[in-house]
PDB file of all heavy atoms in Angstrom:
ATOM      1  N   MET V 445     112.825 158.349  47.550  1.00  0.00           N
ATOM      2  CA  MET V 445     112.133 157.463  46.616  1.00  0.00           C
ATOM      3  C   MET V 445     112.238 157.993  45.181  1.00  0.00           C
ATOM      4  O   MET V 445     112.410 157.232  44.240  1.00  0.00           O
ATOM      5  CB  MET V 445     110.668 157.327  47.042  1.00  0.00           C
ATOM      6  CG  MET V 445     109.800 156.484  46.144  1.00  0.00           C
ATOM      7  SD  MET V 445     108.117 156.329  46.817  1.00  0.00           S
ATOM      8  CE  MET V 445     107.310 157.735  46.071  1.00  0.00           C
ATOM      9  N   ASN V 446     112.135 159.316  45.026  1.00  0.00           N
ATOM     10  CA  ASN V 446     112.155 159.903  43.685  1.00  0.00           C
ATOM     11  C   ASN V 446     113.549 160.300  43.208  1.00  0.00           C
ATOM     12  O   ASN V 446     113.715 160.627  42.033  1.00  0.00           O
ATOM     13  CB  ASN V 446     111.207 161.109  43.626  1.00  0.00           C
ATOM     14  CG  ASN V 446     109.763 160.684  43.621  1.00  0.00           C
ATOM     15  OD1 ASN V 446     109.407 159.718  42.960  1.00  0.00           O
ATOM     16  ND2 ASN V 446     108.931 161.389  44.356  1.00  0.00           N
ATOM     17  N   PHE V 447     114.515 160.276  44.108  1.00  0.00           N
ATOM     18  CA  PHE V 447     115.870 160.648  43.743  1.00  0.00           C
ATOM     19  C   PHE V 447     116.419 159.813  42.565  1.00  0.00           C
ATOM     20  O   PHE V 447     116.948 160.392  41.605  1.00  0.00           O
ATOM     21  CB  PHE V 447     116.778 160.515  44.982  1.00  0.00           C
ATOM     22  CG  PHE V 447     118.201 160.877  44.772  1.00  0.00           C
ATOM     23  CD1 PHE V 447     118.595 162.197  44.768  1.00  0.00           C
ATOM     24  CD2 PHE V 447     119.155 159.881  44.555  1.00  0.00           C
ATOM     25  CE1 PHE V 447     119.944 162.535  44.571  1.00  0.00           C
ATOM     26  CE2 PHE V 447     120.491 160.220  44.366  1.00  0.00           C
ATOM     27  CZ  PHE V 447     120.873 161.534  44.359  1.00  0.00           C
ATOM     28  N   PRO V 448     116.272 158.474  42.570  1.00  0.00           N
ATOM     29  CA  PRO V 448     116.783 157.695  41.443  1.00  0.00           C
ATOM     30  C   PRO V 448     116.142 158.090  40.113  1.00  0.00           C
ATOM     31  O   PRO V 448     116.830 158.257  39.105  1.00  0.00           O
ATOM     32  CB  PRO V 448     116.409 156.249  41.802  1.00  0.00           C
ATOM     33  CG  PRO V 448     116.262 156.245  43.285  1.00  0.00           C
ATOM     34  CD  PRO V 448     115.723 157.598  43.639  1.00  0.00           C
ATOM     35  N   LEU V 449     114.834 158.282  40.118  1.00  0.00           N
ATOM     36  CA  LEU V 449     114.123 158.692  38.907  1.00  0.00           C
ATOM     37  C   LEU V 449     114.687 160.006  38.389  1.00  0.00           C
ATOM     38  O   LEU V 449     114.982 160.163  37.197  1.00  0.00           O
ATOM     39  CB  LEU V 449     112.630 158.857  39.245  1.00  0.00           C
ATOM     40  CG  LEU V 449     111.762 159.444  38.136  1.00  0.00           C
ATOM     41  CD1 LEU V 449     111.406 158.369  37.139  1.00  0.00           C
ATOM     42  CD2 LEU V 449     110.507 160.082  38.702  1.00  0.00           C
ATOM     43  N   ILE V 450     114.874 160.962  39.307  1.00  0.00           N
ATOM     44  CA  ILE V 450     115.334 162.291  38.912  1.00  0.00           C
ATOM     45  C   ILE V 450     116.766 162.250  38.382  1.00  0.00           C
ATOM     46  O   ILE V 450     117.073 162.824  37.345  1.00  0.00           O
ATOM     47  CB  ILE V 450     115.144 163.263  40.103  1.00  0.00           C
ATOM     48  CG1 ILE V 450     113.674 163.671  40.148  1.00  0.00           C
ATOM     49  CG2 ILE V 450     116.057 164.484  39.977  1.00  0.00           C
ATOM     50  CD1 ILE V 450     113.246 164.381  41.384  1.00  0.00           C
ATOM     51  N   VAL V 451     117.632 161.496  39.068  1.00  0.00           N
ATOM     52  CA  VAL V 451     119.025 161.427  38.617  1.00  0.00           C
ATOM     53  C   VAL V 451     119.108 160.748  37.248  1.00  0.00           C
ATOM     54  O   VAL V 451     119.762 161.229  36.334  1.00  0.00           O
ATOM     55  CB  VAL V 451     119.911 160.698  39.647  1.00  0.00           C
ATOM     56  CG1 VAL V 451     121.290 160.440  39.093  1.00  0.00           C
ATOM     57  CG2 VAL V 451     119.991 161.519  40.912  1.00  0.00           C
ATOM     58  N   TRP V 452     118.415 159.612  37.119  1.00  0.00           N
ATOM     59  CA  TRP V 452     118.491 158.879  35.834  1.00  0.00           C
ATOM     60  C   TRP V 452     117.921 159.707  34.687  1.00  0.00           C
ATOM     61  O   TRP V 452     118.523 159.774  33.615  1.00  0.00           O
ATOM     62  CB  TRP V 452     117.759 157.535  35.929  1.00  0.00           C
ATOM     63  CG  TRP V 452     118.672 156.456  36.397  1.00  0.00           C
ATOM     64  CD1 TRP V 452     119.029 156.206  37.693  1.00  0.00           C
ATOM     65  CD2 TRP V 452     119.372 155.501  35.600  1.00  0.00           C
ATOM     66  NE1 TRP V 452     119.899 155.156  37.737  1.00  0.00           N
ATOM     67  CE2 TRP V 452     120.132 154.695  36.478  1.00  0.00           C
ATOM     68  CE3 TRP V 452     119.428 155.243  34.231  1.00  0.00           C
ATOM     69  CZ2 TRP V 452     120.935 153.661  36.026  1.00  0.00           C
ATOM     70  CZ3 TRP V 452     120.231 154.210  33.784  1.00  0.00           C
ATOM     71  CH2 TRP V 452     120.982 153.420  34.672  1.00  0.00           C
ATOM     72  N   MET V 453     116.784 160.308  34.897  1.00  0.00           N
ATOM     73  CA  MET V 453     116.173 161.042  33.781  1.00  0.00           C
ATOM     74  C   MET V 453     116.932 162.323  33.476  1.00  0.00           C
ATOM     75  O   MET V 453     117.217 162.617  32.320  1.00  0.00           O
ATOM     76  CB  MET V 453     114.703 161.309  34.081  1.00  0.00           C
ATOM     77  CG  MET V 453     113.905 160.019  34.000  1.00  0.00           C
ATOM     78  SD  MET V 453     112.150 160.231  33.849  1.00  0.00           S
ATOM     79  CE  MET V 453     111.997 161.047  32.287  1.00  0.00           C
ATOM     80  N   LEU V 454     117.287 163.088  34.507  1.00  0.00           N
ATOM     81  CA  LEU V 454     117.964 164.365  34.230  1.00  0.00           C
ATOM     82  C   LEU V 454     119.358 164.131  33.656  1.00  0.00           C
ATOM     83  O   LEU V 454     119.812 164.882  32.808  1.00  0.00           O
ATOM     84  CB  LEU V 454     118.013 165.229  35.494  1.00  0.00           C
ATOM     85  CG  LEU V 454     116.653 165.751  35.953  1.00  0.00           C
ATOM     86  CD1 LEU V 454     116.823 166.757  37.063  1.00  0.00           C
ATOM     87  CD2 LEU V 454     115.876 166.382  34.788  1.00  0.00           C
ATOM     88  N   ARG V 455     120.024 163.069  34.103  1.00  0.00           N
ATOM     89  CA  ARG V 455     121.336 162.788  33.519  1.00  0.00           C
ATOM     90  C   ARG V 455     121.184 162.501  32.031  1.00  0.00           C
ATOM     91  O   ARG V 455     121.943 163.004  31.206  1.00  0.00           O
ATOM     92  CB  ARG V 455     121.972 161.577  34.212  1.00  0.00           C
ATOM     93  CG  ARG V 455     123.267 161.134  33.547  1.00  0.00           C
ATOM     94  CD  ARG V 455     123.894 159.987  34.347  1.00  0.00           C
ATOM     95  NE  ARG V 455     125.054 159.436  33.689  1.00  0.00           N
ATOM     96  CZ  ARG V 455     125.018 158.343  32.920  1.00  0.00           C
ATOM     97  NH1 ARG V 455     123.871 157.726  32.708  1.00  0.00           N
ATOM     98  NH2 ARG V 455     126.117 157.886  32.377  1.00  0.00           N
ATOM     99  N   SER V 456     120.160 161.726  31.661  1.00  0.00           N
ATOM    100  CA  SER V 456     120.020 161.415  30.240  1.00  0.00           C
ATOM    101  C   SER V 456     119.610 162.663  29.458  1.00  0.00           C
ATOM    102  O   SER V 456     120.070 162.860  28.326  1.00  0.00           O
ATOM    103  CB  SER V 456     119.064 160.245  30.018  1.00  0.00           C
ATOM    104  OG  SER V 456     117.737 160.685  29.974  1.00  0.00           O
ATOM    105  N   PHE V 457     118.808 163.545  30.067  1.00  0.00           N
ATOM    106  CA  PHE V 457     118.484 164.808  29.379  1.00  0.00           C
ATOM    107  C   PHE V 457     119.738 165.675  29.230  1.00  0.00           C
ATOM    108  O   PHE V 457     119.933 166.319  28.206  1.00  0.00           O
ATOM    109  CB  PHE V 457     117.410 165.596  30.144  1.00  0.00           C
ATOM    110  CG  PHE V 457     116.020 165.003  30.026  1.00  0.00           C
ATOM    111  CD1 PHE V 457     115.254 164.753  31.160  1.00  0.00           C
ATOM    112  CD2 PHE V 457     115.477 164.708  28.784  1.00  0.00           C
ATOM    113  CE1 PHE V 457     113.982 164.220  31.055  1.00  0.00           C
ATOM    114  CE2 PHE V 457     114.189 164.174  28.677  1.00  0.00           C
ATOM    115  CZ  PHE V 457     113.454 163.928  29.817  1.00  0.00           C
ATOM    116  N   MET V 458     120.596 165.681  30.285  1.00  0.00           N
ATOM    117  CA  MET V 458     121.809 166.495  30.217  1.00  0.00           C
ATOM    118  C   MET V 458     122.751 165.981  29.139  1.00  0.00           C
ATOM    119  O   MET V 458     123.376 166.755  28.421  1.00  0.00           O
ATOM    120  CB  MET V 458     122.520 166.498  31.576  1.00  0.00           C
ATOM    121  CG  MET V 458     121.840 167.377  32.607  1.00  0.00           C
ATOM    122  SD  MET V 458     122.760 167.311  34.166  1.00  0.00           S
ATOM    123  CE  MET V 458     121.623 168.120  35.260  1.00  0.00           C
TER     124      MET V 458
END
Side-chain angles (χ1 to χ4, degrees):
Chain V
M445 178 176 90
N446 286 319
F447 181 81
L449 173 81
I450 281 168
V451 171
W452 271 81
M453 289 197 64
L454 291 188
R455 174 176 174 263
S456 85
F457 286 129
M458 285 180 191

